Amino acid sequence: MTHTPDVAAGGAVRKAKPWYRQLYVQVLVAIVIGVVLGWRWPDLGTSMEPIGTTFVTAMKMLIGPIVFLTVIGGIAGVADLRKVGRTGVKALVYFQAGTIVALAAGLVAINLFPLGEGVHADVGELDTSGDAGQYIEKGEHQHWWEFLTHLVPDSFFGAFVDGDILQVIFLAVLFGIALKVVGPAGEPIVASVHRLTDVVFKVLSFVMKAAPLGAFGAMAFAIGKFGLSTLTSLGSLILLFYATSILFVVVVLGAVLAAYVKLNIFQLLRFFKEELLLVLGTSTAEPALPGLMRKLRFMGVDRPTVGLVVPTGYSFNLDGAAIYLSLATLYIAQATDTSLSAGQQLGLLAVMLLTSKGAAGVAGGGFIALTATLSTVGHVPAAGIMLVFGIDKFMSECRALVNFCGNAVATLFVARWENALDLERARQVLAGRLTEDPAEARREDALADPGQPVSSVASSATASRPA
């Protein structure tokens, strides 16, 4: 395959990066090396844990400031504050609809393939010590309404210290509205916010250079600690979860994207390949959040929509977690010989719609939500989560990948609904006719007029010659 040079807006030719310098290639190679190391030398692989956790921690360090600054800049750039409320309501409506479909997908899959039948697990013999025991205890005391009261942080800086995205969004919305209401007095602060955003994204570019190293450490640790043999013990359940997730992304999200937004899901996945590989390597979608926001703006989604929908979706639009929650709940019921009628399963779906939000932003949130669901319903023993605890690490990558894809589609859907998407530009970007200069794009995102649509920032894109 030959690469043609990129022609910049000003007419200068910018030579394309060699394939080995592409971030997604480096991350993919690092993942493969990590898997081999963890498989062949488990002890050495396990010792790589600090490398992976340090990179994820460094990314999480920047998530709070990026979300805070982006949301403020987005709200301050809206001419009418009613648009902010309208966008937020539409996003929440979509999130709830998407969660219902994802939960239903998990229920349908495990009913069609009842893998838990025949296990006949004795709950009394399950060991609930260690981390799993803590998750069970938290889940049993988790209430569905706590995500509402949890929105308000104990202190301003506490939200950033704890890395709680929901609380950061709450503070950012308050500040953004206040800056908009005070009028001219807030304009210097808004300008400073955009300049500070430029600095934060520059720091992000430094940290992202270590992405291959972080993916290597995380993958080597996972394989070294849990071993490939863990995959065979409950391999059929893992396979069912992955197959359901893939079908959900391709069929459900693909249909939503094609029918309403008029874009192609496979082109979208290719466009976000760097972020998807980063999520795969680190088992969490958080490190990919800044890249998702930046690329959506580059596609032609306006700043306020990206700033509001993406961070909120990271807490409320967890399609992968929803599929896992319903599938795992029914698997545990089958494995513990707990019979659930169709009506009881629909009741489970209603409960999970609430408990899936109740553990948002909490460490071990997936298991806490699972335990909260089982405790609320009362039919299925909460200790049954030990049946899936050992393979959770191998399912977390898929959960995070589906969560990421779901939020990308959600933002495009809401933007189209709000007439906040430059559709022609999005098509050109996904077709590869407009390519991004990352350094220039970050600079333009931070310095451009907040009310100016992304499509007008000519210097953030380069046009490729047709092959």
Side-chain angles (χ1 to χ4, degrees):
M1 178 178 177
T2 57
H3 297 278
T4 56
D6 292 335
V7 182
V13 175
R14 179 171 60 84
K15 191 175 181 180
K17 276 186 179 181
W19 65 268
Y20 55 85
R21 291 187 59 190
Q22 300 286 345
L23 180 63
Y24 78 93
V25 174
Q26 296 173 356
V27 171
L28 183 59
V29 171
I31 290 173
V32 173
I33 295 175
V35 169
V36 173
L37 179 67
W39 170 49
R40 299 296 298 170
W41 299 280
D43 292 339
L44 182 59
T46 304
S47 68
M48 297 295 108
E49 180 185 16
I51 299 176
T53 55
T54 300
F55 172 75
V56 173
T57 301
M59 291 298 301
K60 287 184 176 181
M61 169 188 71
L62 296 172
I63 296 299
I66 287 174
V67 169
F68 185 72
L69 295 170
T70 305
V71 172
I72 289 178
I75 294 176
V78 177
D80 185 357
L81 279 178
R82 285 177 296 183
K83 174 180 168 60
V84 176
R86 191 171 63 244
T87 301
V89 170
K90 289 180 177 179
L92 291 176
V93 169
Y94 177 90
F95 293 162
Q96 289 298 88
T99 300
I100 291 173
V101 175
L103 289 170
L107 287 179
V108 170
I110 196 64
N111 273 291
L112 289 176
F113 302 94
L115 302 177
E117 293 182 359
V119 175
H120 307 300
D122 185 352
V123 179
E125 296 181 358
L126 295 176
D127 181 14
T128 58
S129 60
D131 291 340
Q134 296 177 12
Y135 296 148
I136 292 175
E137 183 178 355
K138 288 181 181 178
E140 289 175 339
H141 296 88
Q142 183 82 32
H143 302 288
W144 66 266
W145 43 261
E146 286 186 5
F147 77 94
L148 291 174
T149 58
H150 186 68
L151 279 174
V152 183
D154 295 330
S155 66
F156 177 85
F157 294 105
F160 295 91
V161 172
D162 296 335
D164 194 309
I165 295 179
L166 278 176
Q167 294 181 351
V168 172
I169 293 172
F170 176 76
L171 290 173
V173 169
L174 290 180
F175 269 76
I177 293 175
L179 285 172
K180 188 69 180 176
V181 170
V182 298
E187 290 178 1
I189 300 177
V190 174
S192 298
V193 165
H194 289 289
R195 291 188 175 91
L196 187 56
T197 303
D198 188 33
V199 176
V200 173
F201 270 102
K202 178 55 68 175
V203 175
L204 173 68
S205 69
F206 298 153
V207 176
M208 283 301 296
K209 294 183 184 299
L213 198 60
F216 159 76
M219 193 58 68
F221 166 74
I223 301 299
K225 182 174 177 62
F226 300 101
L228 291 175
S229 59
T230 308
L231 294 173
T232 60
S233 60
L234 287 172
S236 56
L237 181 60
I238 297 173
L239 182 62
L240 179 61
F241 176 58
Y242 272 72
T244 306
S245 299
I246 292 171
L247 286 174
F248 179 83
V249 171
V250 174
V251 178
V252 178
L253 296 183
V256 169
L257 197 66
Y260 187 74
V261 189
K262 310 299 183 185
L263 295 175
N264 184 282
I265 187 67
F266 296 106
Q267 290 182 333
L268 187 72
L269 296 176
R270 183 180 62 188
F271 180 60
F272 285 110
K273 59 181 179 295
E274 290 183 1
E275 286 73 23
L276 290 171
L277 284 172
L278 183 60
V279 172
L280 176 65
T282 58
S283 300
T284 174
E286 287 184 339
L289 185 147
L292 174 62
M293 297 175 75
R294 190 190 74 246
K295 285 190 172 182
L296 284 170
R297 289 199 298 266
F298 178 76
M299 283 180 65
V301 182
D302 73 355
R303 182 187 300 273
T305 303
V306 172
L308 287 172
V309 178
V310 175
T312 309
Y314 259 61
S315 292
F316 286 97
N317 188 43
L318 307 175
D319 293 334
I323 295 172
Y324 167 79
L325 190 59
S326 58
L327 192 148
T329 299
L330 209 58
Y331 173 82
I332 293 170
Q334 294 171 353
T336 55
D337 298 321
T338 305
S339 179
L340 294 175
S341 65
Q344 288 174 319
Q345 290 187 33
L346 290 176
L348 266 177
L349 192 149
V351 171
M352 287 184 287
L353 192 61
L354 298 173
T355 54
S356 62
K357 306 295 188 294
V362 180
F367 271 103
I368 293 173
L370 182 56
T371 309
T373 301
L374 301 181
S375 301
T376 302
V377 174
H379 304 307
V380 187
I385 70 168
M386 294 307 303
L387 296 171
V388 296
F389 185 73
I391 60 170
D392 180 70
K393 175 61 185 147
F394 297 102
M395 300 172 87
S396 62
E397 287 92 348
C398 189
R399 286 201 302 265
L401 287 168
V402 178
N403 291 343
F404 179 89
C405 296
N407 282 307
V409 173
T411 308
L412 290 167
F413 183 94
V414 174
R416 175 78 165 160
W417 195 357
E418 271 288 287
N419 294 318
L421 170 66
D422 185 340
L423 185 57
E424 183 56 35
R425 178 184 174 84
R427 287 171 175 163
Q428 291 185 37
V429 169
L430 295 186
R433 290 191 289 271
L434 284 177
T435 56
E436 184 183 31
D437 181 345
E440 191 64 24
R442 294 187 189 104
R443 185 175 187 279
E444 292 296 336
D445 283 341
L447 297 180
D449 178 7
Q452 184 181 22
V454 180
S455 58
S456 65
V457 183
S459 61
S460 66
T462 58
S464 298
R465 272 190 237 162

